[in-house]
Amino acid sequence: MFDKYRRVVDYLRISVTDRCNFRCRYCMPPQGKSLHDADESLTYEELLRIIRILGQHGVNKIRLTGGEPLVRRGIVEFIHNIRQINTIKDLAMTTNGSLLGKNRMAERLKQAGLDRVNISIDTVDSADFADITGRGNLDDVLLGLKSALLAGFKPVKINVVVTEKLSDHDIAYFIAQVYQYSVAIRFIEYMPLGPTPISPGKSILMVKQMIEQASSRMLQSEVVMYGNGPARYYRLPKAKGVFGFITPMSDHFCHKCNRLRLTDDGKLKPCLLSNQEVDIKAALRNGCTDQNIYEFCRQALQNKGLKHQLDYNTSEKFSVTRPMFQVGG
Ligand code: SAM
Ligand code: SF4
């Protein structure tokens, strides 16, 4: 599929639930929020139908996100069923990792056909981690990371949203990880998507300097990685893993965006940072044809802007109506 600027769109990100066992300060309001009723979320059958149809029109990558995708019941079987759709070549998940180490979850996901996982870990200081995530327990997440590595996901990526909490101690931990494992550690600029009391802290340039100072080595120029989306990757000499930097705010990558998004309650979104939505659920539940579904997706892509409107200076004037946990980062 193409959008109106002739960008190829071959990647669907699906938020399978707006529920989460964490309350990250930059994503969910601290007091929580009213969650969709179960019947407001698209069923797995409805999602599989959409994936099948889009698969016939060039979509070959799927990412499952949320909310926390692992809190939705039946997720392992859903993955197994997506895997039966042979047009889908790459199936990934973004998770907070807290449940990966429980009930052999990482192994079961791998066996069901999940190709890759991204695990979010902003800091390895237990108290700061609990502060950022509201309810998160760092040990559970580190166990989840270990389980993902043992289960054989390649590569395992770690998402680090850069906030005021990122410390030299965290950087030392991440450097040790890239020397030990073939992981990709990606530092993501914080996006001001709501009234959240957390500061972005360091710039990406400062993070790069912290890595070079702590390792006494220079980051080597960009390397290409499979599943390479908006991140720019660098390697420390002789490291197995890489560092990635994702800069939606200071250096956006909209010109090469290949994504369409689907919220758990059935809204197609052309961009994480757009308020444009196309309701596909009503159509799905009113007996529409496969061709109708495809037309809805094309319509959503017609709304895909050339560039998003959010920056640190204009976030007062432009606000994204759906919080992150409802769209999936
Ligand atoms: N619950 C899963 C998790 O935390 O990985 C998946 C959903 S979460 C919304 C997806 C990603 O978005 C996570 O890596 C999270 O850190 C990131 N994220 C959430 N809010 C963000 C924000 N305001 N700015 C930048 N990244 C954000
Ligand atoms: Fe939950 Fe992920 Fe949002 Fe944190 S970032 S509250 S783990 S959905």
Side-chain angles (χ1 to χ4, degrees):
M1 293 197 297
F2 291 92
D3 70 8
K4 67 178 172 193
Y5 298 104
R6 303 298 294 165
R7 285 171 294 198
V8 173
V9 174
D10 58 5
Y11 184 4
L12 178 66
R13 286 197 169 212
I14 303 174
S15 171
V16 294
T17 179
D18 69 343
R19 285 160 205 256
C20 187
N21 52 348
F22 286 10
R23 292 284 180 273
C24 299
R25 286 164 60 177
Y26 45 63
C27 176
M28 266 201 182
Q31 71 277 20
K33 48 81 58 198
S34 62
L35 300 163
H36 296 141
D37 289 337
D39 66 349
E40 285 182 68
S41 292
L42 293 181
T43 64
Y44 286 139
E45 290 69 29
E46 288 167 333
L47 290 172
L48 285 167
R49 182 173 176 207
I50 295 169
I51 296 169
R52 210 170 280 122
I53 294 165
L54 288 186
Q56 290 159 5
H57 292 280
V59 168
N60 53 29
K61 300 183 205 40
I62 301 284
R63 176 170 295 277
L64 307 177
T65 176
E68 173 49 42
L70 294 180
V71 303
R72 182 159 173 181
R73 259 194 234 149
I75 191 80
V76 176
E77 196 183 345
F78 178 51
I79 287 167
H80 173 79
N81 289 334
I82 298 177
R83 211 58 286 182
Q84 309 312 308
I85 303 174
N86 59 17
T87 47
I88 303 307
K89 304 297 178 208
D90 184 47
L91 180 53
M93 175 185 283
T94 303
T95 168
N96 65 30
S98 61
L99 301 174
L100 278 175
K102 303 197 169 150
N103 304 317
R104 296 179 45 253
M105 181 54 87
E107 221 179 313
R108 285 164 57 214
L109 291 169
K110 180 78 179 138
Q111 278 165 5
L114 189 70
D115 293 312
R116 301 184 291 119
V117 280
N118 291 13
I119 301 174
S120 305
I121 307 176
D122 298 346
T123 173
V124 288
D125 178 286
S126 303
D128 283 346
F129 186 85
D131 184 41
I132 294 176
T133 60
R135 302 171 167 187
N137 178 332
L138 178 65
D139 290 340
D140 290 345
V141 175
L142 294 182
L143 176 65
L145 171 61
K146 198 169 158 195
S147 309
L149 289 165
L150 281 174
F153 288 107
K154 280 200 185 82
V156 171
K157 296 183 181 175
I158 299 176
N159 286 352
V160 184
V161 177
V162 178
T163 72
E164 58 193 281
K165 302 286 190 189
L166 186 72
S167 67
D168 290 331
H169 174 62
D170 296 324
I171 296 292
Y173 171 84
F174 292 132
I175 290 172
Q177 295 299 302
V178 294
Y179 276 106
Q180 202 171 349
Y181 303 107
S182 167
V183 288
I185 299 180
R186 297 127 46 89
F187 295 93
I188 304 173
E189 277 176 349
Y190 164 69
M191 290 175 268
L193 293 183
T196 48
I198 199 155
S199 127
K202 293 140 193 94
S203 67
I204 290 293
L205 185 63
M206 287 160 80
V207 176
K208 283 184 184 161
Q209 286 168 348
M210 285 166 84
I211 294 170
E212 292 185 335
Q213 273 164 15
S215 65
S216 306
R217 295 182 167 114
M218 298 296 284
L219 285 163
Q220 291 176 340
S221 58
E222 209 151 343
V223 286
V224 177
M225 271 193 75
Y226 183 68
N228 197 348
R232 294 196 178 113
Y233 288 102
Y234 296 80
R235 197 184 291 277
L236 286 173
K238 300 201 172 121
K240 292 183 186 159
V242 293
F243 286 110
F245 301 93
I246 304 183
T247 54
M249 303 302 292
S250 65
D251 186 12
H252 73 83
F253 32 81
C254 303
H255 56 285
K256 55 178 186 182
C257 182
N258 60 346
R259 301 167 181 188
L260 178 64
R261 292 171 181 270
L262 181 59
T263 67
D264 76 291
D265 61 336
K267 307 288 189 298
L268 286 163
K269 285 181 75 77
C271 167
L272 175 68
L273 301 175
S274 157
N275 292 326
Q276 301 274 355
E277 297 186 346
V278 171
D279 185 356
I280 201 171
K281 184 173 66 181
L284 274 167
R285 295 186 180 178
N286 283 315
C288 68
T289 63
D290 288 1
Q291 182 63 24
N292 296 146
I293 302 278
Y294 172 56
E295 292 302 336
F296 275 111
C297 296
R298 278 172 45 108
Q299 189 188 329
L301 287 185
Q302 285 307 305
N303 297 334
K304 195 168 169 76
L306 195 53
K307 169 185 171 334
H308 74 72
Q309 298 303 310
L310 188 71
D311 72 42
Y312 290 128
N313 301 321
T314 59
S315 60
E316 302 282 305
K317 290 174 238 150
F318 171 77
S319 66
V320 181
T321 48
R322 271 189 191 256
M324 195 68 136
F325 68 92
Q326 283 192 343
V327 190

